[in-house]
Amino acid sequence: QAGGRRWQVAATGFWQTHRAAAQTLVAAVGPHVAGADSWWDLYCGVGLFAGSLAADGQPVTGVEGDRRAARLARRNLRDLPNVRIEAADVGPWVAAHGSSRSATDQPDVIVLDPPRRGAGRAVVTGLTQTTATKLVYVACDPAALGRDVGYLREDGWTVAAVTGCDLFPVTHHVEAVAVLSR
């Protein structure tokens, strides 16, 4: 349970192992999507952020490359008609949708929660083609976050805040939530 919802996750799928981790991340990301007209949840997994933070009627598009996780996200969020889940690799999806100038396709805010390797240059380049003015990057690897923030800064984004979340006490692992704007 997290974000006021129950989540179904595949036994071999990804979910934070610390029982309070998902709720901690929802609390860290939530204030940054509040008030957005629409937003994207990239690398959405089973729909944690989209399902926990989508306001009534606020359009949210979640994109997940793992087909099983995308199916579970659709199932987990079937009661939220304003949330659409796309089963697609994030890089090509962002490349195809990032340059769309249709107001209905463009987000105000992007939540990005990539795997440990980070988003990488291709995804970041696609994000800079959107009209989003805020990016909330959830990272489990500080080096990947640093690399991707470097790309984002080259493309005109500035770091507004970075919050560390110690979800794995007594280890060297620290999750970070970075907020960037342009």
Side-chain angles (χ1 to χ4, degrees), residues 3 23 30-31 39 43 57 60 64 68 72 76-77 83 91 93 100-101 104 118 130 137-138 148 150 153 160 172 179:
Q23 184 60 46
W39 55 282
Y43 304 97
V60 179
E64 174 55 50
R68 180 177 40 193
L72 286 167
N76 288 332
L77 308 179
V83 177
W93 189 91
S100 170
R101 292 296 163 224
T104 58
T130 71
Y137 191 130
V138 180
D148 289 347
R153 290 186 67 214
H172 69 282
V179 180

Side-chain angles (χ1 to χ4, degrees), residues 25 112 137-142 145 162-165 167 174-178:
L25 292 173
L112 185 68
Y137 191 130
V138 180
C140 60
D141 181 56
L145 175 63
V162 179
T163 302
C165 300
L167 304 182
V174 176
E175 296 266 336
V177 177

Side-chain angles (χ1 to χ4, degrees), residues 83-97:
V83 177
R84 183 179 84 228
I85 301 297
E86 300 277 341
D89 290 333
V90 170
W93 189 91
V94 168
H97 292 82

Side-chain angles (χ1 to χ4, degrees), residues 15-155:
W15 188 257
Q16 294 288 348
T17 56
H18 189 288
R19 62 188 160 120
Q23 184 60 46
T24 299
L25 292 173
V26 166
V29 171
H32 304 292
V33 299
D37 289 331
S38 68
W39 55 282
W40 290 351
D41 182 2
L42 304 180
Y43 304 97
C44 73
V46 297
L48 175 66
F49 296 121
S52 299
L53 302 173
D56 291 335
Q58 177 190 54
V60 179
T61 301
V63 182
E64 174 55 50
D66 182 286
R67 305 293 189 230
R68 180 177 40 193
R71 278 194 307 278
L72 286 167
R74 287 187 192 112
R75 184 179 304 156
N76 288 332
L77 308 179
R78 66 181 168 260
D79 63 314
L80 299 174
N82 55 311
V83 177
R84 183 179 84 228
I85 301 297
E86 300 277 341
D89 290 333
V90 170
W93 189 91
V94 168
H97 292 82
S99 61
S100 170
R101 292 296 163 224
S102 167
T104 58
D105 291 339
Q106 288 294 302
D108 297 331
V109 176
I110 297 170
V111 174
L112 185 68
D113 186 10
R116 184 164 298 282
R117 70 179 178 277
R121 186 56 160 150
V123 171
V124 168
T125 297
L127 298 178
T128 64
Q129 302 303 311
T130 71
T131 59
T133 57
K134 187 185 290 185
L135 174 68
V136 184
Y137 191 130
V138 180
C140 60
D141 181 56
L145 175 63
R147 181 203 61 217
D148 289 347
V149 165
Y151 296 151
L152 288 158
R153 290 186 67 214
E154 287 172 9
D155 292 339

